[in-house]
Amino acid sequence: MAKTHAKTGWRSYSSSPLPPILETALACFVEHGYHGTSIREVAARAELSVPGLYYHYASKQALLVAIVSHAMDDLWDRSTAALEESGDDVQRRLDALVECLVLFHAHRRDLAFIAYSEIRSLTGEARTTYIGARDRQQRLMDQVVEDGVAQKVFSTPYPREVSRAIVTMCTGVSQWYSAKGEHSPQQLAQRYRDMTRMTVGAQIESQP
């Protein structure tokens, strides 16, 4: 997602943002796992020859790195846009960041699932880079929760543990969410905002 769009539409999700080859590779990885997918299968489903695929991506690892990098960059851009929109109010910042995480992991379920589950398949510098991006993302929530505790808006005595629990809860949406389920992504985000407020020890908004 372009950064200019992220600043104005971090809640908006259209069709897949991946190029066709990466979209095909993502579908294969979701169906068969990274190690269960061959480069020949990706090429065939993308209607390319194997050399034609290698022209665009040097290896199966390069496909995975491109997919994971896109996921982390998109989530970062949306998260920072959500926080920017929320201003300095720490409760609004928490609500927005939770909403952003839930919407991303519901709307981009496959992308987020592979980015999470296939970290074990990343090697070398790519793995190090991914871990750095993941830790940077976590620090956004850490800071919001720590600020809320410092301002006595949140009462939890365990800010670091609570922060990690919130992120784990939100990212876990990609492992089970279905568009055919009971709640829309936005409805789910509202529930998660309420649960998060209870977790940090903040006031819950009254429901109409």
Side-chain angles (χ1 to χ4, degrees):
M1 182 179 64
K3 289 186 177 181
T4 53
H5 178 67
K7 290 181 179 180
T8 59
W10 60 268
R11 293 181 179 88
S12 299
Y13 289 85
S14 56
S15 57
S16 173
L18 293 175
I21 294 175
L22 292 184
E23 181 65 23
T24 300
L26 175 62
C28 291
F29 294 160
V30 169
E31 290 176 23
H32 307 297
Y34 175 77
H35 292 293
T37 299
S38 69
I39 200 74
R40 187 173 298 278
E41 178 183 3
V42 176
R45 289 180 60 168
E47 300 183 346
L48 293 169
S49 64
V50 171
L53 180 58
Y54 281 139
Y55 175 81
H56 297 281
Y57 296 94
S59 63
K60 187 170 71 169
Q61 178 76 184
L63 289 168
L64 179 61
V65 170
I67 289 170
V68 167
S69 297
H70 179 89
M72 297 308 294
D73 289 346
D74 190 14
L75 179 57
W76 175 260
D77 288 344
R78 291 177 184 274
S79 298
T80 53
L83 291 173
E84 182 178 345
E85 178 185 285
S86 302
D88 296 329
D89 184 282
V90 71
Q91 183 63 77
R92 289 185 61 196
R93 291 172 71 80
L94 177 65
D95 288 347
L97 190 52
V98 167
E99 179 181 1
C100 181
L101 287 170
V102 172
L103 292 181
F104 181 85
H105 287 83
H107 284 291
R108 297 281 187 257
R109 178 185 176 188
D110 287 350
L111 186 62
F113 176 75
I114 290 300
Y116 169 81
S117 65
E118 292 296 353
I119 182 177
R120 62 186 183 275
S121 302
L122 293 170
T123 60
E125 184 177 349
R127 181 181 175 88
T128 301
T129 299
Y130 173 85
I131 291 174
R134 182 194 63 186
D135 291 348
R136 181 180 70 162
Q137 181 70 40
Q138 176 66 49
R139 285 195 292 271
L140 292 178
M141 185 65 74
D142 291 346
Q143 190 63 60
V144 169
V145 175
E146 289 170 7
D147 288 347
V149 170
Q151 296 173 25
K152 301 187 184 305
V153 178
F154 307 153
S155 62
T156 176
Y158 310 114
R160 182 56 60 90
E161 291 82 359
V162 161
S163 175
R164 294 192 178 278
I166 290 169
V167 170
T168 299
M169 179 176 69
C170 293
T171 58
V173 168
S174 67
Q175 299 179 47
W176 60 264
Y177 181 76
S178 171
K180 298 179 181 179
E182 182 180 359
H183 302 294
S184 69
Q186 194 60 54
Q187 290 171 331
L188 191 64
Q190 178 61 59
R191 289 180 173 232
Y192 272 57
R193 286 197 299 267
D194 288 347
M195 290 189 293
T196 298
R197 286 186 175 217
M198 289 186 280
T199 303
V200 299
Q203 184 177 0
I204 301 174
E205 294 178 335
S206 59
Q207 296 297 317

